[in-house]
Amino acid sequence: MDKLAILIPAYNEALTISKVVNDVKNVIREIPDSVIYVYDNNSKDNTSELAEKAGAVVRHEYAQGKGAVIRRMFREIDAEAYIMIDADDTYPVEAIPEMYKKIIDKHVDMVVGDRLSSTYFEENKRPFHNVGNSLVRTLINFLFKTNIRDILTGYRAFSYQFVKTFPVLSRGFEIETEMSIHATEKRMLVENQVISYRDRPEGSESKLNTYGDGFKVLKTVLNLYRGYHPFAFYSVFSFVSALIAVVSFVWRVLLPYSETYTVANFPTLIVSMIFLLISVITFFSGSILNSIQNNEKRNFELDLVRADERLKGLLNGKQ
């Protein structure tokens, strides 16, 4: 079992991977039993060869996508603390010791490298990425009542308990959103750490698709909100359906009936009853799913206890 595992997902990062690995090696010299893992995700250049030459343990994930890489990392590696950093040399490795201490000494479950509070908006040359980061941060903090200052950052530290209880569902770059919401909803201890950010060096290309990945992130946010807060999510549809039913019934059926004592608008009456039925169904669907979600929260607490026991067993075996 490692004391600290540095996790570096990499896809076609030959230009920067050697520098990132060497920089990380320099800052973790004082941390015993530290290992740098580079997971190559079907790179078409010599990323894996350069990483291995620089001193990293190189492994491969053949299912394409950052989410698939992180799933493999979390399943295969046991460590007291984990730090994930991108291979594009945009993050300062000097923050690693402090992030590590927060995991070990303060028992923080996830430390978020906060770019948006420092140099991100000055360094990043893609304006729609700036808008997207701000939009996603505002939306998530509003919906989930949290204060994570950089939702989409790839620079994070994790506890053993977080890694071994986090269900990786996403395949692509929306994985960071999933991590942030999972930690919030499971009441895990999260801290922000302000870090500097520098844009990619010339010749290095981002793998992000501004619009495609942006829509995937927003879709992930809505799906996770529906999953974690089903009653609130379905109550919106229940309320809207009930409002349509009441307004259409009163305006097109009840008021004319009070004057003529005949039901002249049968189609409207039928439609209003359908919307009323939809309102009732969505209300009780949300209630049932909310009960299931509460039960899942209780099961998750038991998963945390089991993760603690596994960690203690690994540490005792190591000693």
Side-chain angles (χ1 to χ4, degrees):
M1 184 180 183
D2 303 322
K3 188 75 173 177
L4 170 63
I6 304 294
L7 310 179
I8 308 177
Y11 174 64
N12 292 341
E13 299 289 1
L15 186 65
T16 55
I17 188 64
S18 295
K19 181 178 184 303
V20 172
V21 172
N22 285 317
D23 288 349
V24 171
K25 283 169 59 180
N26 290 331
V27 299
I28 64 172
R29 292 183 187 278
E30 303 302 321
I31 303 175
D33 298 324
S34 300
V35 181
I36 302 171
Y37 295 92
V38 172
Y39 273 70
D40 183 73
N41 193 207
N42 301 314
S43 293
K44 297 176 177 61
D45 57 17
N46 59 339
T47 294
S48 58
E49 291 85 353
L50 291 171
E52 189 170 9
K53 185 177 180 181
V57 176
V58 176
R59 295 180 180 177
H60 297 269
E61 171 55 48
Y62 298 103
Q64 197 65 43
K66 189 173 183 179
V69 176
I70 291 174
R71 180 188 293 113
R72 179 70 60 187
M73 289 174 166
F74 284 6
R75 285 167 56 186
E76 290 185 350
I77 299 172
D78 290 325
E80 287 187 60
Y82 305 75
I83 292 180
M84 183 176 70
I85 186 169
D86 289 344
D88 55 10
D89 195 32
T90 57
Y91 298 120
V93 299
E94 292 77 18
I96 287 176
E98 187 176 351
M99 297 172 81
Y100 168 75
K101 287 180 181 178
K102 287 182 178 180
I103 298 295
I104 297 298
D105 297 339
K106 298 178 64 176
H107 304 292
V108 176
D109 289 297
M110 182 171 71
V111 182
V112 177
D114 174 19
R115 308 161 298 169
L116 304 189
S117 298
S118 60
T119 58
Y120 182 78
F121 295 108
E122 292 78 21
E123 287 287 328
N124 184 46
K125 303 301 188 297
R126 295 153 292 183
F128 286 107
H129 284 205
N130 296 341
V131 174
N133 270 283
S134 299
L135 174 63
V136 170
R137 177 178 63 177
T138 301
L139 180 63
I140 289 179
N141 286 336
F142 172 75
L143 290 177
F144 295 92
K145 305 298 185 293
T146 185
N147 188 33
I148 297 178
R149 296 173 191 161
D150 191 347
I151 302 297
L152 303 178
T153 179
Y155 196 8
R156 297 168 187 255
F158 308 103
S159 67
Y160 176 87
Q161 289 82 353
F162 179 94
V163 166
K164 297 305 179 182
T165 59
F166 173 59
V168 181
L169 303 178
S170 302
R171 292 292 295 271
F173 286 98
E174 61 271 29
I175 185 68
E176 283 93 358
T177 304
E178 192 178 321
M179 287 177 175
S180 301
I181 294 175
H182 173 79
T184 297
E185 285 300 314
K186 298 307 182 182
R187 300 177 183 176
M188 305 185 96
L189 182 57
V190 179
E191 284 197 6
N192 299 289
Q193 178 163 328
V194 178
I195 60 168
S196 60
Y197 174 87
R198 52 182 177 263
D199 205 8
R200 282 173 169 266
E202 187 175 351
S204 176
E205 295 183 2
S206 173
K207 314 305 183 298
L208 283 169
N209 182 307
T210 302
Y211 300 105
D213 289 320
F215 283 119
K216 287 179 183 178
V217 167
L218 292 176
K219 180 182 177 182
T220 299
V221 172
L222 292 178
N223 282 336
L224 290 173
Y225 186 76
R226 180 186 62 182
Y228 285 121
H229 298 278
F231 186 73
F233 181 84
Y234 286 102
S235 290
V236 173
F237 295 95
S238 178
F239 175 78
V240 171
S241 298
L243 184 63
I244 293 173
V246 170
V247 171
S248 60
F249 178 78
V250 171
W251 181 38
R252 299 291 293 171
V253 178
L254 186 61
L255 291 179
Y257 178 82
S258 64
E259 296 177 358
T260 63
Y261 295 100
T262 58
V263 179
N265 298 307
F266 270 102
T268 303
L269 176 62
I270 294 172
V271 170
S272 63
M273 292 301 101
I274 290 174
F275 272 102
L276 182 62
L277 181 61
I278 292 173
S279 175
V280 172
I281 291 173
T282 52
F283 178 84
F284 283 104
S285 297
S287 299
I288 294 169
L289 291 172
N290 191 66
S291 298
I292 295 173
Q293 177 61 25
N294 287 335
N295 188 56
E296 288 183 354
K297 289 179 180 178
R298 286 190 287 270
N299 290 336
F300 179 78
E301 294 301 318
L302 296 176
D303 289 340
L304 281 179
V305 172
R306 286 190 284 268
D308 285 336
E309 292 174 351
R310 287 197 300 269
L311 177 59
K312 291 176 182 177
L314 288 169
L315 291 174
N316 290 334
K318 182 180 177 181
Q319 293 170 358

